[in-house]
Structure formats: C-alpha cells, structure tokens
Amino acid sequence: MEFRIETFATGHADVQKQSKVTTGAAYDKIAADVIAAQGAGMVFKGTPVFKPEVTAVEVQGASSTATLVDCLDITNWKPIIAATGADAAQPGQVLRYVVSATAVKTQDSAWRISEYTPDRSRTC
C-alpha cells in the first residue's frame, strides 16, 4: 500500500506502481479517489497504519483468491488543502475502521488487491 500513500501525498497516480498492487475494481476505485482529491485540491500528509490479516484462501485450478481484513488507522494520515495547508478533515471522522479486501493471484503469479470495502461503521 506504499504506492497508495505516495499517490495521495502527491496527488498524482503512478499507473505502473498502481497496477503492481491493484487490479479491477480496486484499481478503478483508487483512480477515482485520486481524481476526486485532485479536484478538491487535497493531498494527504503522514502515514496510515495497515494491519491486514488473511482470513481465507481459495485455490481453484489456475485461479486463486484471498480474503483479507484490515484495521486501517488513519490517525496520522491527514487530508490537507494543498494550496493553503489547511486541515481538510471532516469533523467527527472515524479514524480507525475495518477494511475488507479480496486479492487475486494474477497470470504473472503476483497477488493484487481486486476489491476493497471500507466499513467506517465498524471501528477497531
């Protein structure tokens, strides 16, 4: 996820780096989030904390998937208005929440996140 931190810190996605860690819906979602942040003039400073755990692996022939659950902590990852340096965090924003994800093993034998769903109603 280092790529995602860098992407949001600069406001510019590196498509090659993004395609090494994401695919499908996850790739599209991150790209849309970057475009929305750019449109709002936001960048992110600091570092989120990831603690993913693999909860299931399914192998079916050449196709493999893994299910992951993470407690994402964004306490030290702050949205900032790039032009002014002003804090752009929403009041009452949940700073620790559960993210569920699916990873797929691709043709080049690399694992890539294909889907992820943040659930801000499930704090951790």
Side-chain angles (χ1 to χ4, degrees), residues 23-107:
T23 189
Y27 181 96
D28 294 342
K29 187 184 274 189
I30 288 175
D33 288 348
V34 169
I35 290 169
Q38 283 177 324
M42 282 193 314
V43 293
F44 288 73
K45 300 297 179 190
T47 305
V49 177
F50 301 95
K51 294 184 181 177
E53 294 182 23
V54 176
T55 58
V57 176
E58 188 172 320
V59 178
Q60 293 182 347
S63 176
S64 298
T65 61
T67 303
L68 299 95
V69 176
D70 193 359
C71 176
L72 178 59
D73 183 346
I74 60 169
T75 303
N76 295 312
W77 197 43
K78 308 287 185 190
I80 305 293
I81 302 298
T84 65
D87 185 352
Q90 297 295 316
Q93 180 177 346
V94 176
L95 300 176
R96 291 176 45 116
Y97 53 90
V98 174
V99 177
S100 301
T102 301
V104 295
K105 194 169 187 180
T106 58
Q107 290 178 347

Side-chain angles (χ1 to χ4, degrees), residues 21-27 65-66 101-104 112-116:
V21 294
T22 62
T23 189
Y27 181 96
T65 61
T102 301
V104 295
R112 291 184 173 83
I113 301 297
S114 61
E115 298 177 43
Y116 68 94

